Amino acid sequence: MNLQVNIGGIKMKNPVATASGTFGLGREYSGFVDLNRLGAVVIKGTTLLPRLGNPAPRIAETPAGLLNAIGLENPGVEAVVEQYLPFLRQFDVPVIVNIAGDTVEDYARLAQRLDRQVGVAGLEVNISCPNVKKGGMLFGSDPDSAAEVIRGVRASTSLPVIAKLSPNVTSIAAVAESVAQAGADALSLINTLLGMAIDIRSKRPVLGNIMGGLSGPAVKPVALRAVWQVFRAVKIPILGMGGIASGEDALQFIMAGAGAVAVGTANFINPAATIDVLKGIEDYMEENNILDINDLVGAAHR
Amino acid sequence: MNLQVNIGGIKMKNPVATASGTFGLGREYSGFVDLNRLGAVVIKGTTLLPRLGNPAPRIAETPAGLLNAIGLENPGVEAVVEQYLPFLRQFDVPVIVNIAGDTVEDYARLAQRLDRQVGVAGLEVNISCPNVKKGGMLFGSDPDSAAEVIRGVRASTSLPVIAKLSPNVTSIAAVAESVAQAGADALSLINTLLGMAIDIRSKRPVLGNIMGGLSGPAVKPVALRAVWQVFRAVKIPILGMGGIASGEDALQFIMAGAGAVAVGTANFINPAATIDVLKGIEDYMEENNILDINDLVGAAHR
Amino acid sequence: MYNKNTAIIKNDEVMPGHWLLCLDSPDIARAASPGQFLHVRCSRTLDPLLRRPLSIYCADRERGRVYILYRAAGRGTALLAGMRPGDRLDVMGPLGKGYTLPSPGRSVAVIGGGIGAAPLFFLLSEIKAIYSGRLENVAVFLGAATGELLLASQTAALGFSPYTATDDGTVGFKGSVIDLYIDTNGSKVDRIYACGPPPMLKSLSRALGPDIRAEVSVEERMGCGVGACLSCVCKVREGAGEEFRYAHVCKDGPVFSIQDLFF
Amino acid sequence: MYNKNTAIIKNDEVMPGHWLLCLDSPDIARAASPGQFLHVRCSRTLDPLLRRPLSIYCADRERGRVYILYRAAGRGTALLAGMRPGDRLDVMGPLGKGYTLPSPGRSVAVIGGGIGAAPLFFLLSEIKAIYSGRLENVAVFLGAATGELLLASQTAALGFSPYTATDDGTVGFKGSVIDLYIDTNGSKVDRIYACGPPPMLKSLSRALGPDIRAEVSVEERMGCGVGACLSCVCKVREGAGEEFRYAHVCKDGPVFSIQDLFF
Ligand SMILES: Cc1cc2nc3c(=O)[nH]c(=O)nc-3n(C[C@H](O)[C@H](O)[C@H](O)COP(=O)(O)OP(=O)(O)OC[C@H]3O[C@@H](n4cnc5c(N)ncnc54)[C@H](O)[C@@H]3O)c2cc1C
Ligand SMILES: Cc1cc2nc3c(=O)[nH]c(=O)nc-3n(C[C@H](O)[C@H](O)[C@H](O)COP(=O)(O)OP(=O)(O)OC[C@H]3O[C@@H](n4cnc5c(N)ncnc54)[C@H](O)[C@@H]3O)c2cc1C
Ligand SMILES: Cc1cc2nc3c(=O)[nH]c(=O)nc-3n(C[C@H](O)[C@H](O)[C@H](O)COP(=O)(O)O)c2cc1C
Ligand SMILES: Cc1cc2nc3c(=O)[nH]c(=O)nc-3n(C[C@H](O)[C@H](O)[C@H](O)COP(=O)(O)O)c2cc1C
Ligand code: FES
Ligand code: FES
């Protein structure tokens, strides 16, 4: 049974990765999950300089979903390289660094800093974060500005470049086509849906940052649709995510066209979610005599 | 305690309406709900000619949500006027007809046919249905084509015109501004989010129509955010909907800026959902000494 | 009728993977007729979200009790199976259009496959009452995957001696209940009542002559259960050819005349 | 530690609206220290979605039992209150950084407000063990809205005689537990341990001189419970002025030095 997949040049021993921002910098869940068993670890969004993030409350629970407005709290790229990557290098797992910037140049400089960095297997370019004032989703909402960021990153690194797209657009396929042309090796979809919650006692938005990003099982149908549409529009591989909590969920994404999947919010509910998703995929393949996971990619289109 | 609201010229005795397509043509739930107690009844999407709708399966359950691809099954505007409106005229409740067309002219002709029709209090213009091949969401995805439809309807009727917007756009505020300028008296938001589900046993999309519209509690954060954004962009009243199942949910929408709310998917779960939502609003007002519901509209912005 | 707080009297696993639920609901018991269903919330939370349609297995009007026989098929019914006497269930019903009851003396066949046979028990007990216990003209056919899933003893308790078929041959005829029916029933009956999985209904439809009246119960995914959401469609014939319109299983059915359906 | 199937031994309403949950979990009992919490799934479905953080009320290491005292505050805890002995609970823990235990002989004050007092019982039982039962130097202050919500008898059972305060004056001092503490405690203590609602911690912070060490437990909404999601932040001092950094309550806390916090 072959589980190995290749996402834009990143070789993964199986198709199950962690979603950025839901698995910290790798160490936090290492007591619950053997990192060696994962297909890839995608770490928290990283910026050039350290960031404090947004004021509390940063999360709110919604029906089968989670709103977050963390605001890219992170120790900055230098600290990530010096203090956190060494821990991850102990494991036999590709590490993908999620990068975010305020300007096109920020992204390029991050890409440069991480280029040829031992222990970095690829970059996930976050042009879809709804929780920061500058950059983030603004870039990802428009095919042209999205392409501009990706071109800058592409020119600054020889690492595989994954563009992470926002679902908060009229046509995600148009953005996908644009970043593919700009040189992205793969696509991650989806980032969170823009949402909010209001506390009727205080009559104020629940989140410190007012709006936030919706993730978790609630968004799964939207994420699957995005993967389905983008699979028809572009040829580069897709890392699918959005509400995946079980092997069955992951298989839906793979059949819709994802070459691999990432588990996000589900880690909070089940710290072993990644491993359970992987087992679920393996069980299905065994029961259905699927010898190669790659044979299932896009199966629902046939 | 005043519960009366005015949505673009439609006087409602309280702010709780039914969402189009979830309450049939009025009769179906009349054994469970006293229609006289509702703020308004918005009936199923109506087209010029009868429509069969899409093949089964037409719905799929998702986490805290529902995917539907009904495809605007309806008996056509003539039958609605002749066979169904007479039943609704027995009740002391404004009836809003949801209209949908393949072309700009279809919408205008529907508006003309329903103009001055006894028992019709207003039109909800569905430029946001994701489940039909032509028209529907295509119009609502672009500020200009959305405005074109609304202008055509506006010119054909003296009834209050409510534009129903799609959340599947990069900027719902931009579409809202555009239809407000085109003469809409009010806005309904949101229609369903485009989504899908895949059956991993058959390896095929679950819905007969492949993609469908996501509704129910799962989408509430997205709907609330849309109401919040649109309230800041335009001055006309908003009929808010998307996942409302309780008085607390409805109050969140009102505080975000909705002048009234509609209950959709929740009717399927609780046939008395509209009345329970109304009671919840009343209880809150009593406990918090709110004398006029209109004082709460947009309260979270202050 | 709609009651959020219907008391559960019993909820026992009566066959492997199948539960018999007894509800205290005099209103529903009084109003119910065979073939109708209840629309049941299996959870008090928003997941799973929708109600589940479940046929009425029988109604004890004197004691005000309603029974449902169900298979733990997925998440919703699994949650239902975890409920205990004393718990409260949120129930709408009886809903839909059931079977047309026969007049005494007419010869009828009642054919059930698997858990699909559930609503036929309610029908059989009504037939028993109508025929005043003189049941010579009622032939009952039951099929199941294996012997322990046959509802034979329940049928016998009503006074009927069912013909039985199992896929694995553990009890009765080895094969499908429709094959058994064809093998057994040389003589024509006035009416057939059937319920079971789609392939069974399909082969019944093929086996029947054009002049036999058969009523069958069909299943489709449901939203509202009352005809408001238009989700539960099945194609029914409109004229002679392949033309169709959509009927709504929750309101126009779940029982349809087999001649009207496409297979 | 992570166990999806921790057995519930008991789950009783011990005060109006408050439940005491007893879990069979030798691993957690062994590893737990006062001030740490468990991260508990209150539902097996996707709604409510997140775990709920609940402090460890006490740990019986010999019998391998862990206790939680909780208020049915909302949907999650209401579902928890509906669970029964024999049900299984999905539990992560012990998580977080708890209280620093005192050395024997040091004079300490333990101050709890409302349900916030829950983790202090575990602390008191550890103190009792450390001090070998010689408890002259331990002053316990308990506050609650009303007498029946005071945890006085539980405290007394451990051998402490608590000072009590209630908002409505039904038992003990009428007023806040901090006012009681200030009124009572003329003499300085070496360390204060406190837990309760934010206003209580705030007035404690105002009442304290700069040189008293106080450890308090704080609450914040949590996602992961292990430091991965960065959601549970509270501001902690960075230098002398108003400068701050964000600490993560689940990992850096929930117990913090009161001097580090902003109120
Ligand atoms: C009119 C009618 C009467 C029925 N009577 C009985 C009965 O007496 N006993 C019994 O065991 N079962 C009966 N069923 C089938 C029963 O409704 C399904 O087994 C049940 O809904 C499955 O829900 P689940 O959550 O356990 O499964 P899941 O697989 O988790 O359900 C997922 C979704 O699919 C829908 N679904 C799944 N299977 C069916 C089905 N066969 N028909 C319609 N929707 C389905 C569910 O409603 C839900 O929306 C009946 C169905 C209908 C339409
Ligand atoms: C470290 C820690 C220890 C705690 N120990 C206890 C304890 O021993 N006993 C006890 O009764 N309570 C304790 N709480 C509070 C308890 O976690 C909340 O009462 C509970 O999460 C409410 O959940 P709910 O679903 O019932 O309420 P809901 O209001 O439905 O919760 C909605 C959301 O708000 C969050 N939330 C609500 N109140 C709080 C709160 N006070 N703190 C953090 N998140 C909250 C929930 O986690 C959830 O995400 C503790 C909280 C923390 C952070
Ligand atoms: C708490 C939290 C923090 C996140 N942080 C990031 C981030 O730093 N960068 C990023 O690209 N996506 C971030 N995401 C988005 C996730 O990586 C993922 O795209 C999204 O949550 C959908 O997947 P899920 O539903 O499985 O969580 C974050 C999500 C959550 C819930
Ligand atoms: C089964 C179904 C049918 C619907 N049909 C229509 C329709 O005909 N016209 C329309 O404008 N919206 C239609 N909608 C959208 C609803 O009116 C509403 O905008 C949406 O469902 C969000 O609200 P909810 O989450 O409360 O259901 C339909 C929704 C559902 C679930
Ligand atoms: S289930 Fe809604 S129309 Fe049948
Ligand atoms: S709860 Fe996730 S970091 Fe604290």
Side-chain angles (χ1 to χ4, degrees), chain D residues 120-152:
Chain D
L120 298 178
F121 288 84
F122 192 6
L123 177 67
L124 287 172
S125 64
E126 296 286 83
I127 289 179
K128 190 179 166 187
I130 293 169
Y131 284 40
S132 320
R134 301 178 54 230
L135 306 177
E136 317 77 64
N137 293 325
V138 184
V140 180
F141 298 84
L142 293 176
T146 181
E148 57 181 358
L149 299 179
L150 271 175
L151 303 170

Short mmCIF file of all heavy atoms in Angstrom, two decimals, chain D residues 120-152:
data_model
loop_
_atom_site.label_atom_id
_atom_site.label_comp_id
_atom_site.label_asym_id
_atom_site.label_seq_id
_atom_site.Cartn_x
_atom_site.Cartn_y
_atom_site.Cartn_z
N LEU D 120 -8.34 25.06 45.10
CA LEU D 120 -7.67 25.29 46.38
C LEU D 120 -7.78 24.09 47.31
O LEU D 120 -6.97 23.93 48.23
CB LEU D 120 -8.23 26.55 47.04
CG LEU D 120 -8.00 27.83 46.22
CD1 LEU D 120 -8.63 29.03 46.91
CD2 LEU D 120 -6.51 28.07 45.98
N PHE D 121 -8.78 23.25 47.09
CA PHE D 121 -8.92 22.07 47.94
C PHE D 121 -7.80 21.08 47.74
O PHE D 121 -7.29 20.49 48.67
CB PHE D 121 -10.27 21.41 47.73
CG PHE D 121 -11.31 22.25 48.33
CD1 PHE D 121 -11.83 23.32 47.61
CD2 PHE D 121 -11.70 22.08 49.64
CE1 PHE D 121 -12.73 24.16 48.19
CE2 PHE D 121 -12.60 22.92 50.23
CZ PHE D 121 -13.13 23.97 49.51
N PHE D 122 -7.44 20.94 46.46
CA PHE D 122 -6.30 20.09 46.16
C PHE D 122 -5.06 20.68 46.83
O PHE D 122 -4.28 19.98 47.49
CB PHE D 122 -6.14 20.04 44.64
CG PHE D 122 -5.21 18.99 44.12
CD1 PHE D 122 -4.62 18.04 44.95
CD2 PHE D 122 -4.91 18.94 42.75
CE1 PHE D 122 -3.77 17.07 44.44
CE2 PHE D 122 -4.05 17.98 42.25
CZ PHE D 122 -3.47 17.06 43.09
N LEU D 123 -4.93 21.99 46.73
CA LEU D 123 -3.80 22.67 47.36
C LEU D 123 -3.80 22.44 48.87
O LEU D 123 -2.78 22.10 49.47
CB LEU D 123 -3.87 24.17 47.05
CG LEU D 123 -2.79 25.05 47.68
CD1 LEU D 123 -1.42 24.73 47.08
CD2 LEU D 123 -3.11 26.53 47.50
N LEU D 124 -4.98 22.61 49.49
CA LEU D 124 -5.07 22.44 50.94
C LEU D 124 -4.70 21.01 51.36
O LEU D 124 -4.03 20.81 52.38
CB LEU D 124 -6.47 22.80 51.46
CG LEU D 124 -6.79 24.30 51.46
CD1 LEU D 124 -8.27 24.53 51.80
CD2 LEU D 124 -5.89 25.05 52.47
N SER D 125 -5.12 20.05 50.57
CA SER D 125 -4.81 18.68 51.00
C SER D 125 -3.31 18.41 50.83
O SER D 125 -2.71 17.69 51.63
CB SER D 125 -5.67 17.64 50.28
OG SER D 125 -5.42 17.66 48.92
N GLU D 126 -2.66 19.04 49.85
CA GLU D 126 -1.21 18.90 49.73
C GLU D 126 -0.50 19.62 50.88
O GLU D 126 0.47 19.12 51.45
CB GLU D 126 -0.72 19.47 48.40
CG GLU D 126 -1.26 18.74 47.17
CD GLU D 126 -0.61 17.39 46.95
OE1 GLU D 126 -1.07 16.42 47.59
OE2 GLU D 126 0.34 17.30 46.15
N ILE D 127 -1.02 20.80 51.21
CA ILE D 127 -0.42 21.55 52.32
C ILE D 127 -0.53 20.74 53.62
O ILE D 127 0.43 20.63 54.40
CB ILE D 127 -1.12 22.93 52.48
CG1 ILE D 127 -0.72 23.84 51.32
CG2 ILE D 127 -0.77 23.58 53.82
CD1 ILE D 127 -1.36 25.22 51.35
N LYS D 128 -1.70 20.14 53.80
CA LYS D 128 -1.90 19.33 55.00
C LYS D 128 -0.85 18.22 55.09
O LYS D 128 -0.28 17.96 56.16
CB LYS D 128 -3.30 18.72 54.94
CG LYS D 128 -3.71 18.06 56.23
CD LYS D 128 -5.12 17.51 56.09
CE LYS D 128 -5.40 16.54 57.23
NZ LYS D 128 -6.69 15.88 57.03
N ALA D 129 -0.58 17.58 53.97
CA ALA D 129 0.41 16.50 53.94
C ALA D 129 1.80 17.06 54.22
O ALA D 129 2.56 16.52 55.03
CB ALA D 129 0.38 15.80 52.58
N ILE D 130 2.13 18.18 53.58
CA ILE D 130 3.46 18.78 53.76
C ILE D 130 3.68 19.24 55.21
O ILE D 130 4.74 19.03 55.79
CB ILE D 130 3.64 19.99 52.82
CG1 ILE D 130 3.67 19.51 51.36
CG2 ILE D 130 4.90 20.77 53.14
CD1 ILE D 130 3.59 20.64 50.36
N TYR D 131 2.65 19.85 55.78
CA TYR D 131 2.75 20.38 57.13
C TYR D 131 2.52 19.29 58.18
O TYR D 131 2.41 19.58 59.37
CB TYR D 131 1.72 21.51 57.35
CG TYR D 131 2.07 22.85 56.71
CD1 TYR D 131 2.64 22.92 55.44
CD2 TYR D 131 1.83 24.05 57.38
CE1 TYR D 131 2.93 24.14 54.84
CE2 TYR D 131 2.12 25.28 56.79
CZ TYR D 131 2.67 25.31 55.52
OH TYR D 131 2.96 26.51 54.93
N SER D 132 2.38 18.07 57.73
CA SER D 132 2.10 16.93 58.61
C SER D 132 0.94 17.22 59.56
O SER D 132 1.00 16.91 60.75
CB SER D 132 3.33 16.55 59.44
OG SER D 132 4.48 16.63 58.65
N GLY D 133 -0.06 17.92 59.05
CA GLY D 133 -1.25 18.15 59.84
C GLY D 133 -1.15 19.32 60.81
O GLY D 133 -2.14 19.72 61.40
N ARG D 134 0.03 19.91 60.96
CA ARG D 134 0.17 21.03 61.91
C ARG D 134 -0.14 22.32 61.15
O ARG D 134 0.70 22.92 60.52
CB ARG D 134 1.56 21.03 62.53
CG ARG D 134 1.81 19.68 63.27
CD ARG D 134 3.18 19.56 63.88
NE ARG D 134 3.50 20.65 64.76
CZ ARG D 134 4.62 21.36 64.69
NH1 ARG D 134 5.51 21.10 63.76
NH2 ARG D 134 4.85 22.36 65.53
N LEU D 135 -1.43 22.73 61.28
CA LEU D 135 -1.96 23.71 60.34
C LEU D 135 -2.13 25.10 60.94
O LEU D 135 -2.85 25.94 60.38
CB LEU D 135 -3.31 23.19 59.80
CG LEU D 135 -3.23 21.78 59.18
CD1 LEU D 135 -4.61 21.33 58.73
CD2 LEU D 135 -2.25 21.74 58.03
N GLU D 136 -1.45 25.39 62.09
CA GLU D 136 -1.62 26.70 62.72
C GLU D 136 -1.33 27.84 61.76
O GLU D 136 -1.92 28.91 61.84
CB GLU D 136 -0.69 26.90 63.94
CG GLU D 136 -0.56 25.76 64.89
CD GLU D 136 0.34 24.67 64.35
OE1 GLU D 136 1.54 24.86 64.14
OE2 GLU D 136 -0.23 23.58 64.07
N ASN D 137 -0.40 27.61 60.86
CA ASN D 137 0.05 28.70 60.01
C ASN D 137 -0.74 28.86 58.71
O ASN D 137 -0.34 29.58 57.83
CB ASN D 137 1.52 28.51 59.66
CG ASN D 137 2.41 28.65 60.89
OD1 ASN D 137 2.09 29.47 61.76
ND2 ASN D 137 3.47 27.87 60.96
N VAL D 138 -1.82 28.11 58.61
CA VAL D 138 -2.60 28.18 57.38
C VAL D 138 -3.96 28.81 57.66
O VAL D 138 -4.76 28.26 58.41
CB VAL D 138 -2.81 26.77 56.78
CG1 VAL D 138 -3.54 26.88 55.44
CG2 VAL D 138 -1.48 26.05 56.61
N ALA D 139 -4.19 29.99 57.07
CA ALA D 139 -5.49 30.65 57.23
C ALA D 139 -6.28 30.49 55.93
O ALA D 139 -5.75 30.79 54.85
CB ALA D 139 -5.30 32.11 57.54
N VAL D 140 -7.51 30.01 56.07
CA VAL D 140 -8.31 29.77 54.87
C VAL D 140 -9.49 30.73 54.85
O VAL D 140 -10.19 30.88 55.85
CB VAL D 140 -8.83 28.31 54.83
CG1 VAL D 140 -9.67 28.08 53.57
CG2 VAL D 140 -7.68 27.33 54.89
N PHE D 141 -9.70 31.38 53.73
CA PHE D 141 -10.79 32.34 53.57
C PHE D 141 -11.66 31.89 52.39
O PHE D 141 -11.15 31.67 51.30
CB PHE D 141 -10.24 33.74 53.28
CG PHE D 141 -9.41 34.27 54.40
CD1 PHE D 141 -8.05 33.92 54.49
CD2 PHE D 141 -9.97 35.08 55.37
CE1 PHE D 141 -7.28 34.39 55.54
CE2 PHE D 141 -9.20 35.56 56.42
CZ PHE D 141 -7.85 35.21 56.51
N LEU D 142 -12.94 31.78 52.66
CA LEU D 142 -13.85 31.34 51.59
C LEU D 142 -14.97 32.35 51.41
O LEU D 142 -15.57 32.78 52.38
CB LEU D 142 -14.47 29.99 51.93
CG LEU D 142 -13.55 28.78 51.99
CD1 LEU D 142 -14.34 27.56 52.44
CD2 LEU D 142 -12.91 28.54 50.63
N GLY D 143 -15.26 32.66 50.16
CA GLY D 143 -16.37 33.54 49.88
C GLY D 143 -17.31 32.89 48.89
O GLY D 143 -16.92 32.01 48.11
N ALA D 144 -18.58 33.31 48.94
CA ALA D 144 -19.54 32.79 47.97
C ALA D 144 -20.72 33.76 47.93
O ALA D 144 -20.84 34.65 48.78
CB ALA D 144 -20.03 31.39 48.36
N ALA D 145 -21.58 33.57 46.94
CA ALA D 145 -22.74 34.45 46.83
C ALA D 145 -23.65 34.25 48.03
O ALA D 145 -24.17 35.20 48.60
CB ALA D 145 -23.49 34.16 45.54
N THR D 146 -23.83 32.99 48.41
CA THR D 146 -24.75 32.68 49.50
C THR D 146 -24.24 31.47 50.25
O THR D 146 -23.36 30.75 49.77
CB THR D 146 -26.17 32.46 48.93
OG1 THR D 146 -27.06 32.17 49.99
CG2 THR D 146 -26.20 31.30 47.93
N GLY D 147 -24.76 31.26 51.45
CA GLY D 147 -24.24 30.23 52.32
C GLY D 147 -24.16 28.84 51.72
O GLY D 147 -23.17 28.14 51.88
N GLU D 148 -25.21 28.48 50.98
CA GLU D 148 -25.23 27.09 50.49
C GLU D 148 -24.19 26.84 49.40
O GLU D 148 -23.97 25.71 49.00
CB GLU D 148 -26.64 26.69 50.03
CG GLU D 148 -27.22 27.57 48.96
CD GLU D 148 -28.63 27.15 48.56
OE1 GLU D 148 -29.14 26.16 49.10
OE2 GLU D 148 -29.20 27.82 47.69
N LEU D 149 -23.56 27.92 48.89
CA LEU D 149 -22.51 27.73 47.89
C LEU D 149 -21.10 27.82 48.48
O LEU D 149 -20.11 27.72 47.76
CB LEU D 149 -22.67 28.75 46.76
CG LEU D 149 -23.99 28.67 45.98
CD1 LEU D 149 -24.02 29.74 44.90
CD2 LEU D 149 -24.18 27.29 45.36
N LEU D 150 -21.02 27.99 49.78
CA LEU D 150 -19.71 28.01 50.43
C LEU D 150 -19.16 26.60 50.49
O LEU D 150 -19.90 25.64 50.68
CB LEU D 150 -19.85 28.53 51.86
CG LEU D 150 -19.74 30.03 52.08
CD1 LEU D 150 -20.03 30.32 53.55
CD2 LEU D 150 -18.34 30.53 51.72
N LEU D 151 -17.86 26.48 50.33
CA LEU D 151 -17.27 25.15 50.40
C LEU D 151 -16.71 24.89 51.79
O LEU D 151 -15.69 24.23 51.95
CB LEU D 151 -16.19 25.02 49.32
CG LEU D 151 -16.71 25.31 47.89
CD1 LEU D 151 -15.56 25.41 46.91
CD2 LEU D 151 -17.67 24.21 47.46
N ALA D 152 -17.45 25.40 52.80
CA ALA D 152 -16.91 25.36 54.17
C ALA D 152 -16.79 23.96 54.73
O ALA D 152 -15.77 23.60 55.32
CB ALA D 152 -17.78 26.23 55.07
#
